């Protein structure tokens, strides 16, 4: 539908502008996918349409910076075994690789689309996804193409694990050579799973530098299952983000505090793997910028729910509601290099993208206060209402 839309009766408006304040009795106007006006409801200009949200809270849409939506198959048996006491290991990825290679590309796209839609109905308006369950040239290429069909930002994760039956050195040569060339038209970031059972620091560095030489930005899976060195590698290379961060030494936190790398924390994954939560409070107190993401994938975190991540960060990881919401929106945008300029996401400002959500609640505090209750009342993505 064209024309302008006035969203009024906003009981509490979180914009994440520089003041950091929440506005009350506010309104905003949307037009051509952008925010045209923000201010007190009493002074709102006329528009073609009017939506009264009746005192509800409005905030930026969630920015989910870490998902693995391109896959096939089911790992609920592995999950059940884990809940019965078995430890998570990187090798489980091979199960999904086998199923993903066997699936037609249309099926991969359809699954990823369904998950994206599921995320949107919970307030997610901007989303990253990765390759990483193909792990041969043809399968990574079609995974990258499928990802680009569905997500706003795509990351190449050829360095997820060395696939079963493949020589290690030969595989790294593939990841940094023909596989990289094949995915390049579809991806903006390169990632490496720097962990025991996946890739060590030197191997990860080689992969990341090959990606950088090809023009990609960097992100790293680091310190999920132990003190892998991934965090310090990410900071050393100036990666946009290092994700997981469960096992951190003081030197890791110091490095993050002086570097530019965002620490992206994945609470739903920690719940689903029974790992200790990342030390969110210590990171924030040290001055580290943090983001929250779902890590939606069939192995360690099969959820698209950013509200679950926000609530867990508040209730279990020591964040205030405001800190958690910031980390899931503007902090997350920083982790993708999208927090500034006209195409910034994760904040609401005049001239910016109209990516916003209404909660069925008067305040963002209800995201944790009413934990587990679906509170998303309405979502606009680039000014268009999500059904
Ligand atoms: N840690 C590495 N990759 C995924 C899990 C992949 C899987 O087990 O399928 C993650 O982010 O948790
Ligand atoms: Zn991941």
């Amino acid at each position: 539908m064209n024309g302008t839309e006035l969203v009024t009766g906003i009981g509490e408006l979180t914009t994440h502008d520089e003041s950091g304040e929440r506005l009350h009795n506010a309104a905003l106007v949307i037009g051509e996918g952008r925010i045209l006006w923000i201010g007190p409801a009493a002074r709102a200009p006329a528009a073609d349409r009017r939506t009264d949200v009746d005192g509800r809270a409005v905030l930026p849409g969630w920015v989910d910076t870490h998902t693995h939506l391109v896959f096939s198959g089911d790992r609920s048996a592995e999950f059940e075994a884990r809940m019965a006491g078995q430890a998570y290991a990187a090798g489980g990825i091979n199960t999904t690789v086998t199923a993903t290679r066997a699936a037609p590309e249309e099926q991969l796209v359809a699954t990823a689309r369904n998950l994206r839609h599921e995320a949107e109905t919970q307030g997610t308006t901007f989303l990253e996804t990765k390759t990483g369950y193909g792990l041969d040239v043809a399968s990574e290429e079609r995974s990258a193409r499928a990802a680009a069909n569905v997500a706003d930002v795509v990351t190449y994760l050829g360095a997820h694990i060395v696939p079963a039956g493949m020589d290690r050195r030969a595989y790294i040569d593939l990841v940094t050579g023909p596989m990289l060339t094949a995915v390049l038209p579809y991806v903006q970031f390169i990632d490496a799973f720097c962990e025991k059972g996946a890739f060590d620091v030197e191997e990860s560095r080689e992969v990341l530098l090959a990606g950088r030489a090809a023009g990609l930005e960097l992100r790293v899976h680091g310190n999920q299952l132990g003190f892998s060195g991934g965090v310090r590698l990410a900071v050393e290379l100036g990666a946009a983000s290092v994700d997981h961060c469960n096992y951190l030494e003081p030197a890791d936190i110091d490095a993050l505090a002086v570097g530019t790398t965002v620490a992206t924390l994945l609470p739903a994954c920690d719940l689903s793997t029974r790992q200790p939560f990342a030390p969110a409070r210590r990171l924030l107190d040290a001055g580290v910028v943090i983001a929250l993401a779902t890590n939606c994938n069939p192995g360690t975190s099969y959820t698209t729910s950013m509200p679950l991540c926000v609530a867990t960060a508040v209730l279990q990881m020591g964040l205030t509601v405001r800190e958690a919401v910031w980390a899931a929106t503007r902090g997350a945008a920083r982790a993708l290099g999208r927090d500034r300029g006209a195409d910034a996401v994760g904040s609401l400002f005049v001239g910016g993208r109209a990516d916003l959500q209404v909660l069925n609640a008067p305040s963002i505090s209800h995201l944790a206060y009413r934990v587990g209750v679906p509170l998303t009342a309405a979502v606009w993505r680039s000014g268009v209402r999500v059904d």
Side-chain angles (χ1 to χ4, degrees):
M1 205 188 292
N2 291 323
T4 55
E5 179 169 9
L6 169 67
V7 180
T8 191
I10 302 173
E12 177 195 88
L13 177 62
T14 301
T15 60
H16 294 321
D17 70 0
E18 302 312 326
S19 78
E21 283 173 12
R22 294 180 228 167
L23 309 176
H24 297 278
N25 305 318
L28 54 81
V29 177
I30 299 170
E32 295 189 354
R34 303 256 153 199
I35 307 276
L36 302 180
W37 184 90
I38 297 178
R43 295 219 299 272
D48 299 325
R49 290 186 312 284
R50 176 189 161 97
T51 300
D52 192 335
V53 300
D54 204 17
R56 293 182 172 82
V58 170
L59 67 157
W62 308 121
V63 177
D64 192 350
T65 65
H66 186 141
T67 76
H68 305 246
L69 303 188
V70 182
F71 67 88
S72 185
D74 176 90
R75 281 163 63 192
S76 54
E78 178 188 317
F79 173 78
E80 214 171 303
R82 199 157 67 235
M83 294 305 107
Q86 207 159 87
Y88 171 73
I93 293 167
N94 273 311
T95 311
T96 305
V97 170
T98 304
T100 304
R101 285 178 179 170
E105 189 168 329
E106 313 78 69
Q107 187 193 314
L108 297 177
V109 171
T111 301
R113 274 223 177 101
N114 286 342
L115 289 167
R116 174 157 197 162
H117 185 251
E118 189 179 280
E120 283 176 352
T121 60
Q122 298 170 86
T124 300
T125 49
F126 198 82
L127 179 139
E128 179 266 13
T129 203
K130 304 174 202 301
T131 73
Y133 290 123
L135 307 189
D136 61 36
V137 175
S139 308
E140 279 296 296
E141 183 180 8
R142 70 196 191 110
S143 295
R145 191 165 48 233
N149 234 300
V150 173
D152 301 292
V153 173
V154 181
T155 301
Y156 166 45
L157 183 58
H160 205 177
I161 51 163
V162 177
M166 183 96 197
D167 172 73
R168 211 169 172 82
R169 185 63 249 170
Y171 185 65
I172 294 171
D173 289 344
L174 204 63
V175 169
T176 56
M179 194 184 278
L180 173 60
T181 306
V183 301
L184 214 45
Y186 309 106
V187 306
Q188 296 80 43
F189 284 89
I190 187 165
D191 196 343
F193 185 16
C194 183
E195 203 72 54
K196 191 166 174 228
F199 296 88
D200 67 22
V201 169
E202 284 318 311
E203 292 166 339
S204 301
R205 181 186 281 111
E206 182 181 344
V207 167
L208 295 165
L209 290 178
R212 172 170 283 164
L216 301 179
E217 299 288 324
L218 315 186
R219 36 203 334 104
V220 179
H221 281 66
N223 299 46
Q224 175 186 7
L225 306 172
F227 299 97
S228 72
V231 167
R232 261 171 284 170
L233 176 67
V235 176
E236 174 201 318
L237 298 181
S241 176
V242 58
D243 300 30
H244 288 289
C245 299
N246 298 81
Y247 292 89
L248 298 183
E249 293 169 321
D252 294 315
I253 298 182
D254 292 346
L256 284 163
V258 295
T260 54
T261 303
V262 174
T264 298
L265 314 183
L266 310 169
C269 176
D270 304 340
L271 288 171
S272 180
T273 53
R274 293 191 174 155
Q275 288 288 315
F277 288 113
R281 189 71 260 159
R282 273 167 56 213
L283 286 164
L284 275 184
D285 291 346
V288 177
V289 175
I290 66 166
L292 294 170
T294 63
N295 188 19
C296 179
N297 77 80
T300 61
S301 187
Y302 198 10
T303 180
T304 50
S305 176
M306 287 295 284
L308 170 71
C309 296
V310 168
T312 305
V314 175
L315 298 171
Q316 296 284 309
M317 298 165 79
L319 265 56
T320 66
V321 173
R322 191 180 169 280
E323 287 167 339
V325 167
W326 193 92
T329 51
R330 192 148 185 187
R334 175 90 60 91
L336 292 174
R338 291 291 296 263
D339 60 324
R340 301 207 179 265
D343 279 327
V345 293
S347 58
L348 301 176
F349 59 97
V350 173
R353 282 169 61 118
D355 286 357
L356 54 133
Q357 54 177 318
V358 182
L359 298 182
N360 218 343
S363 158
I364 56 170
S365 61
H366 284 232
L367 287 160
Y369 181 40
R370 305 207 65 220
V371 57
V373 177
L375 291 179
T376 318
V379 180
W380 284 259
R381 180 167 175 255
S382 286
V384 177
R385 264 300 268 277
V386 171
D387 296 319

